[in-house]
Amino acid sequence: MAMLPLVLHWFFIEWYSGKKSSSALFQHITALFECTVAALITLLVSDPVGVLYIRSCRVLMLSDWYTMLYNPSPDYVTTVHCTHEAVYPLYTIVFIYYAFCLVLMMLLRPLLVKKIACGLGKSDRFKSIYAALYFFPILTVLQAVGGGLLYYAFPYIILVLSLVTLAVYMSASEIENCYDLLVRKKRLIVLFSHWLLHAYGIISISRVDKLEQDLPLLALVPTPALFYLFTAKFTEPSRILSEGANGH
């Protein structure tokens, strides 16, 4: 959940920056800075205050995330709202982090965009910021409703979504070989970002007591991109249409 704002920031910056804009890289760096500082501040203000680690209650089952559903009702008449966060602070710390991300974004990004986004029209300069004002409330609701489910399923969600988004990006950018990938630096940045997500998903799935057996799976991180590059020429639409017209 902490990585999602950064990934979405990068996605919308890339989406709205335009092919000829030179400001995208600076916006990417600023988004990384905002999320990193927000994470550090969140850790520092959490218990114990002033250090970069937290004291957390151990998660035993899915119901630990939804203690508000287990408020007692003596004699089935009046519900006593006395439950607390059983997984403290894993549930509320995300909301605190989002608040700091939003504040830092509103303080830093508009000034940066106004100064360097000269390659974009006035109406397009702030669209990535407007997008964040939409996806932060959505992420907040997602954490509030599905925090427990995400806690158990996030490694698999990360792996699937990172694979899908990488394939969509390479297809939309018309990348069919290594040269197309290397010709622009932004494409390499996007590729390495997806590789980091792949690696994070694999590490999250790995068993702590058998790391020596699971960590070699990190060698598979480049496999999806290489598979796409090697097979893209066989699925190029114009080739399929021409072969169909020739009766092959």
Side-chain angles (χ1 to χ4, degrees), residues 49-215:
V49 178
V51 293
L52 294 178
Y53 65 88
I54 58 174
R55 278 194 286 263
S56 175
C57 299
R58 186 177 180 182
V59 181
L60 299 178
M61 58 186 70
L62 181 62
S63 59
D64 291 344
W65 289 84
Y66 305 103
T67 54
M68 72 289 293
L69 302 178
Y70 297 91
N71 285 308
S73 300
D75 299 325
Y76 302 98
V77 177
T78 304
T79 301
V80 180
H81 298 280
C82 61
T83 55
H84 296 273
E85 183 181 353
V87 294
Y88 177 85
L90 300 182
Y91 188 76
T92 53
I93 197 173
V94 176
F95 303 127
I96 299 172
Y97 168 72
Y98 287 167
F100 283 122
C101 282
L102 191 58
V103 170
L104 288 171
M105 181 193 71
M106 296 307 297
L107 290 175
L108 301 177
R109 195 85 63 82
L111 298 175
L112 175 75
V113 172
K114 188 176 181 180
K115 290 289 185 182
I116 67 174
C118 53
L120 299 174
K122 289 185 178 180
S123 61
D124 295 331
R125 290 184 181 184
F126 300 100
K127 282 188 175 180
S128 62
I129 299 176
Y130 296 151
L133 297 179
Y134 282 97
F135 70 66
F136 268 118
I138 293 173
L139 292 178
T140 301
V141 173
L142 184 63
Q143 168 69 9
V145 176
L149 298 174
L150 292 170
Y151 177 79
Y152 288 100
F154 80 90
Y156 309 98
I157 295 175
I158 287 176
L159 283 176
V160 172
L161 289 183
S162 61
L163 290 174
V164 171
T165 54
L166 178 61
V168 170
Y169 176 80
M170 296 180 77
S171 176
S173 302
E174 299 181 352
I175 299 173
E176 297 181 0
N177 51 56
C178 293
Y179 176 77
D180 294 336
L181 189 61
L182 299 173
V183 72
R184 296 182 65 187
K185 293 181 180 179
K186 286 201 298 185
R187 293 178 177 177
L188 289 176
I189 294 174
V190 173
L191 177 64
F192 291 142
S193 300
H194 279 84
W195 282 1
L196 287 175
L197 289 175
H198 298 344
Y200 184 76
I202 291 174
I203 293 173
S204 301
I205 296 174
S206 300
R207 297 160 294 181
V208 177
D209 57 335
K210 296 184 178 180
L211 286 177
E212 66 281 356
Q213 297 180 14
D214 295 340
L215 288 184

